[in-house]
């Protein structure tokens, strides 16, 4: 059963099988063009496969938006080392719940995407790294993998072509940081999920120190439609520099929260009003997170004329991110929102880089103090300064992910922080010796 | 240490899933699946996993302390995880967390004396569009209301709602 009603405004490419009876079963998949793209790819040269993905203008769907075809082209095909496919299914970005559905309702599309990636770089094994909380998906994927072996789409001599590929599921155990590609690779090797220094990038030195294609679930799921119907057809759905559709997760103060597949370049206003049914309780929009809590927050005014597209978001100094759209209405307490976001990053910082480990912990303490009514005027600037000192000073993007939304909230909603200064602390906290910073 | 036949089969499959010499990769999945069966990661389990993948026990300990879903002490039979991250916060998740604490009289990562329920305030569990969300063990509960939460806690305690 689907989690939310589809919207008539959706363009269903990756989600076209959602809602079909028994949609996860291989028979349903085969009856709806399943594994046709694999058959086509088996006749293509690796160069042509990568070229088709480049033509599609598919950009990474995990958050960074790096062109997928280009990423694949960095893998040294002639390297004597084995190559690997790794699927990032560690979906943990707050506001994001789309990969879960792709795996639950159409696991074979993901497997087919992995197989095509394997043909492109001559890989013979692939791992789906699934966050620990998504245990039920391991059962679904293991079943789908078993079906694929049984029908000759996985294993030795795939479809009689001599090509061989094995696919495995691998569970995480609760760590946001493992969604970062190099930390994920460490975790896959049975280690703490701390990031690696790059370069070398995973395309050259990835899983088990070998060349690796590492992409988000949604990126791999886009590959079968691209190969089947051509890269151009996919590209044409989107905008010039970003092809296709994006699964968008609407959450927060919205009438019809849910996951919707919308073409790149979809207007934000139309998305909120028509796809999402408007703001709850007829209220007004106050703040908008475009793609997960790591993105700088936009005000309602900044959303005017905005479209859901990588470059349009970059022009407003934010990111399309993972597609986790969070809607905040006029009554949202932005100090509390900033605190909750920072509590998350402080909890998830792996501790490897000092600016992130210390920065997130201190920002959490200062925001907590502020939210408790114990803040002082100097804290407002201090929050911004501390956050800015984290930017670009860490091995992985978690430091930036914590700093960027915080800077945007303090700058854009400074009046709310000022208003907190006039609040009386609760009696239980009034005597606490917390004012260590003047 | 002996495990159920299902778990042994899972271990065998895991150990065969990674390239030769890379059996250490099986560590985290082995700990997770074993924890599901045994209730927690005991010192005995650490030693056993270390032995099977060819590392020292301290190498396993170093890893397990990093991951929030691996526990050294047993949790409740029902581990109730309330998300209060941003999407859940906006839709009442923080209030649900307060409600769960006050109804059960326990706090973050605490277990009821009878071992039936444990509580944890968790970070985003990937149910943002169906917030507020709770996970009981691995089971998701979406669009949780205060009434639904009371009913859920009552059924987990196997008592009538008035006793919760």
């Amino acid at each position: 059963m689907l989690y939310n009603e589809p919207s008539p405004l959706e363009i269903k490419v990756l989600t076209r099988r959602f809602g079909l009876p028994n949609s996860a079963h291989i028979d349903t998949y085969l009856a709806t063009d399943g594994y046709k793209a694999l058959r086509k790819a088996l006749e293509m040269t690796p160069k042509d496969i990568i070229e088709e993905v480049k033509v599609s203008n598919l950009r990474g769907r995990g958050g960074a938006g790096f062109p997928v075809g280009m990423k694949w082209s960095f893998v040294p095909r002639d390297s004597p080392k084995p190559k690997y496919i790794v699927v990032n299914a560690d979906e943990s970005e707050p506001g994001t719940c789309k990969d879960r559905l792709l795996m639950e309702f159409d696991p074979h599309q993901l497997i087919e995407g992995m197989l095509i990636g394997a043909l492109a770089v001559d890989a013979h094994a692939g791992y789906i790294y699934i966050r620990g909380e998504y245990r039920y998906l391991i059962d679904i994927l293991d079943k789908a993998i078993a079906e694929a072996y049984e029908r000759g789409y996985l294993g030795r001599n795939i479809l009689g072509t001599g090509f061989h590929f094995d696919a495995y599921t691998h569970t995480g155990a609760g760590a946001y940081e493992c969604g970062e590609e190099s930390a994920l690779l460490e975790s896959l090797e049975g280690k703490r999920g701390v990031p690696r220094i790059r370069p070398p990038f995973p395309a050259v030195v990835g899983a088990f120190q070998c060349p690796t294609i590492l992409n988000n679930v949604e990126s791999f799921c886009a590959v079968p439609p691209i190969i089947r119907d051509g890269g151009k057809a996919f590209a044409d759905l989107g905008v010039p520099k970003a092809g296709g559709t994006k699964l968008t997760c609407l959450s927060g103060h919205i009438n019809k929260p849910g996951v919707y597949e919308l073409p790149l370049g979809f207007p934000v206003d139309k998305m909120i009003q028509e796809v999402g049914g408007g703001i709850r309780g007829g209220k007004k929009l106050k703040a908008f997170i475009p793609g997960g809590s790591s993105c700088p927050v936009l005000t309602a005014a900044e959303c005017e004329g905005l479209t859901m597209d990588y470059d349009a978001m970059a022009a407003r100094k934010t990111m399309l991110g993972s597609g986790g759209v969070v809607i905040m209405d006029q009554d949202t307490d932005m100090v509390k929102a900033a605190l909750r976001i920072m509590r998350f990053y402080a909890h998830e910082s792996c501790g490897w880089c000092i600016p992130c480990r210390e920065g997130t912990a201190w920002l959490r303490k200062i925001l907590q103090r502020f939210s408790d009514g114990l803040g002082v005027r100097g804290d407002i600037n201090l929050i911004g300064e501390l956050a800015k000192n984290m930017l670009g000073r860490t091995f992985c993007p978690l430091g930036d992910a914590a700093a960027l939304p915080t800077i945007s909230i303090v700058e854009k909603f400074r009046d709310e922080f000022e208003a907190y200064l006039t609040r009386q602390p609760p009696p239980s906290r009034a005597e606490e010796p917390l004012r260590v910073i003047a | 240490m002996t495990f159920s036949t299902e778990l042994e089969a899972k271990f065998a499959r895991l150990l065969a899933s990674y390239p030769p010499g890379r059996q250490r990769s099986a560590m985290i999945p082995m700990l997770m699946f074993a924890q599901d069966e045994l209730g927690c990661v005991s010192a005995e389990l650490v030693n056993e996993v270390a032995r099977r993948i060819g590392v020292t026990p301290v190498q396993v300990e170093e890893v397990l302390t990093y991951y929030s879903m691996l526990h050294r002490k047993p949790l409740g039979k029902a581990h109730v995880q309330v998300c209060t991250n941003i999407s859940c916060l906006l839709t009442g998740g923080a209030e649900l967390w307060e409600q769960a604490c006050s109804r059960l009289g326990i706090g973050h990562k605490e277990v009821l004396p009878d071992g039936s329920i444990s509580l944890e305030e968790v970070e985003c569990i990937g149910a943002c569009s169906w917030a507020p969300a709770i996970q009981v063990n691995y089971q998701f509960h979406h669009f949780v209301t205060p009434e639904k939460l009371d009913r859920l806690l009552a059924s987990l305690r196997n008592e009538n709602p008035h006793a919760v």
Side-chain angles (χ1 to χ4, degrees):
Chain A
M1 211 182 79
L2 294 177
Y3 290 81
N4 57 270
E5 281 293 312
S7 161
L9 294 167
E10 283 183 82
I11 306 260
K12 298 180 83 63
V13 180
L14 276 68
T15 61
R16 62 197 280 250
R17 295 184 190 85
F18 286 23
L20 293 180
N22 222 353
S23 67
H25 196 274
I26 195 165
D27 286 334
T28 311
Y29 193 64
L30 289 170
T32 50
D33 302 329
Y35 290 112
K36 266 193 188 164
L38 173 67
R39 287 178 191 275
K40 197 168 162 187
L42 282 164
E43 313 263 297
M44 293 165 75
T45 65
K47 204 168 150 270
D48 287 345
I49 294 173
I50 294 177
E51 195 49 42
E52 204 64 47
V53 177
K54 280 186 179 168
V55 167
S56 77
N57 281 338
L58 172 65
R59 293 173 64 167
R61 301 296 196 229
F66 193 81
V68 173
M70 199 187 293
K71 203 174 190 179
W72 289 14
S73 70
F74 295 154
V75 173
R77 219 189 122 84
D78 49 2
S79 161
K81 291 180 177 178
K83 288 106 196 153
Y84 293 100
I85 302 293
V86 176
V87 181
N88 187 341
D90 191 58
E91 178 165 74
S92 316
E93 177 71 21
T96 316
C97 48
K98 62 182 177 70
D99 296 337
R100 199 179 139 183
L101 304 189
L102 287 167
M103 291 184 277
E104 180 171 345
F105 297 126
D106 203 350
H108 283 284
Q109 183 170 242
L110 174 61
I111 297 168
E112 189 176 10
M114 293 169 75
L115 280 160
I116 295 167
L119 284 169
V121 299
D122 193 31
H124 300 285
Y127 298 89
I128 309 171
Y129 185 105
I130 305 169
R131 66 177 300 183
E133 291 84 350
Y134 286 179
R135 172 60 59 80
Y136 77 107
L137 294 176
I138 293 194
D139 298 335
I140 291 174
L141 281 161
D142 281 345
K143 186 168 169 284
I145 288 171
E147 288 168 355
Y149 272 106
E150 202 178 293
R151 306 289 181 95
Y153 294 100
L154 281 174
R156 302 259 132 206
N157 198 14
I158 290 169
L159 299 175
T161 59
F163 180 65
H164 63 100
F165 186 75
D166 292 308
Y168 308 96
T169 54
H170 179 103
T171 181
Y176 169 72
E177 175 60 10
C178 292
E180 192 279 326
E181 60 176 16
S182 69
L184 183 150
L185 293 169
E186 285 290 293
S187 182
L188 181 65
E189 294 185 11
K191 299 174 192 163
R192 295 169 75 89
V194 295
R196 294 176 178 171
I197 299 169
R198 282 154 297 167
F201 289 95
V204 182
V205 181
F208 314 115
Q209 309 300 310
C210 294
T212 300
I213 286 187
L214 204 172
N215 282 114
N216 175 254
V217 171
E218 188 182 349
S219 304
F220 276 111
C221 289
V223 172
I226 287 169
I227 298 299
R228 191 182 61 230
D229 305 327
K232 187 171 182 304
F234 189 82
D236 288 347
L237 295 171
V239 290
K241 282 186 183 165
T245 56
K246 176 87 194 75
L247 266 68
T248 306
C249 323
L250 294 185
S251 73
H253 298 136
I254 188 108
N255 279 319
K256 292 191 224 163
V259 178
Y260 304 97
E261 185 173 4
L262 302 173
L264 263 302
F266 200 86
V268 167
D269 180 57
K270 195 173 175 184
M271 178 179 75
I272 295 174
Q273 298 307 330
E274 296 180 34
V275 178
I279 313 282
R280 271 193 201 177
K283 291 183 184 171
K284 287 197 166 58
L285 179 70
K286 179 192 265 186
F288 175 87
I289 299 178
S293 70
S294 306
C295 303
V297 174
L298 296 178
T299 63
E302 288 174 309
C303 291
E304 276 175 33
L306 183 64
T307 56
M308 293 296 285
D309 156 33
Y310 298 90
D311 294 338
M313 290 294 170
R316 305 267 161 115
K317 297 192 165 52
T318 187
M319 302 177 285
L320 189 68
S322 58
V325 171
V326 184
I327 305 289
M328 303 189 212
D329 73 17
Q330 62 195 60
D331 296 331
T332 307
D333 183 330
M334 296 309 288
V335 173
K336 296 264 191 276
L339 167 63
R340 188 61 190 88
I341 289 172
M342 190 50 68
R343 276 182 58 202
F344 169 69
Y345 291 106
H347 182 264
E348 300 298 338
S349 175
C350 78
W352 191 243
C353 312
I354 297 162
C356 173
R357 182 184 72 211
E358 295 300 311
T360 54
W362 278 102
L363 283 167
R364 174 180 58 76
K365 286 180 198 172
I366 297 167
L367 284 162
Q368 181 71 57
R369 174 170 72 184
F370 217 97
S371 154
D372 288 345
L374 294 157
V376 293
R377 183 160 296 275
D379 284 348
I380 305 177
N381 285 340
L382 184 66
I383 293 167
E385 281 165 24
L386 247 176
K388 279 177 192 157
N389 270 313
M390 289 161 63
L391 286 178
R393 294 192 167 90
T394 51
F395 284 126
C396 92
L398 197 147
D400 288 1
L404 289 168
T406 310
I407 295 167
S408 70
I409 293 174
V410 175
E411 283 179 356
K412 295 174 187 177
F413 301 95
R414 194 181 171 97
D415 55 326
E416 293 197 29
F417 284 80
E418 305 264 357
Y420 256 84
L421 292 173
T422 61
R423 292 196 185 184
Q424 287 297 315
S428 61
R429 304 292 309 271
E431 298 303 316
E432 277 183 44
L434 259 170
R435 293 167 193 262
V436 280
I437 303 159
Chain B
M1 224 178 155
T2 52
F3 304 105
S4 69
T5 8
E6 295 80 39
L7 190 57
E8 283 293 356
K10 232 170 204 169
F11 280 1
R13 216 175 60 214
L14 277 168
L15 289 168
S17 296
Y18 306 95
R22 294 283 182 177
Q23 274 50 53
R24 183 182 172 147
S25 283
M27 184 200 297
I28 295 160
M30 282 173 84
L31 291 171
M32 283 285 276
F33 292 124
Q35 175 177 268
D36 290 346
E37 185 165 303
L38 307 172
C40 70
V41 180
S42 62
E44 197 188 4
L45 178 63
V46 167
N47 291 336
E48 182 67 16
V49 169
R51 191 181 63 77
R52 292 194 187 203
I53 60 176
V55 299
T56 60
V58 75
Q59 286 176 303
V60 176
E61 300 215 2
E62 169 202 50
V63 172
L64 92 91
T65 53
Y66 178 88
Y67 294 93
S68 63
M69 291 179 75
L70 294 171
H71 305 276
R72 308 295 295 259
K73 288 187 193 142
L75 300 166
K77 205 169 137 237
H79 185 47
V80 178
Q81 300 148 84
V82 183
C83 176
T84 61
N85 207 314
I86 190 74
S87 301
C88 287
L89 177 80
L90 297 173
T91 49
E95 289 76 13
L96 292 175
W97 168 246
E98 294 297 327
Q99 182 186 339
C101 291
S102 75
R103 292 287 194 277
L104 298 173
I106 55 174
H108 183 56
K109 292 191 179 176
E110 289 179 354
V111 191
L112 281 182
D114 67 0
S116 59
I117 305 179
S118 51
L119 263 187
E120 186 175 355
E121 183 186 11
V122 290
E123 297 301 348
C124 187
I125 50 176
C128 317
S129 289
W130 317 288
I134 284 177
Q135 243 189 327
V136 179
N137 300 337
Y138 290 110
Q139 169 117 41
F140 281 95
H141 296 264
H142 296 141
F143 298 119
V144 180
T145 59
E147 298 73 38
K148 266 193 192 172
L149 176 62
D150 272 347
R151 281 201 301 274
L152 177 68
L153 293 176
S155 72
L156 296 174
R157 290 190 98 172
N158 208 12
E159 287 174 12
N160 66 62
H162 306 289
V164 171

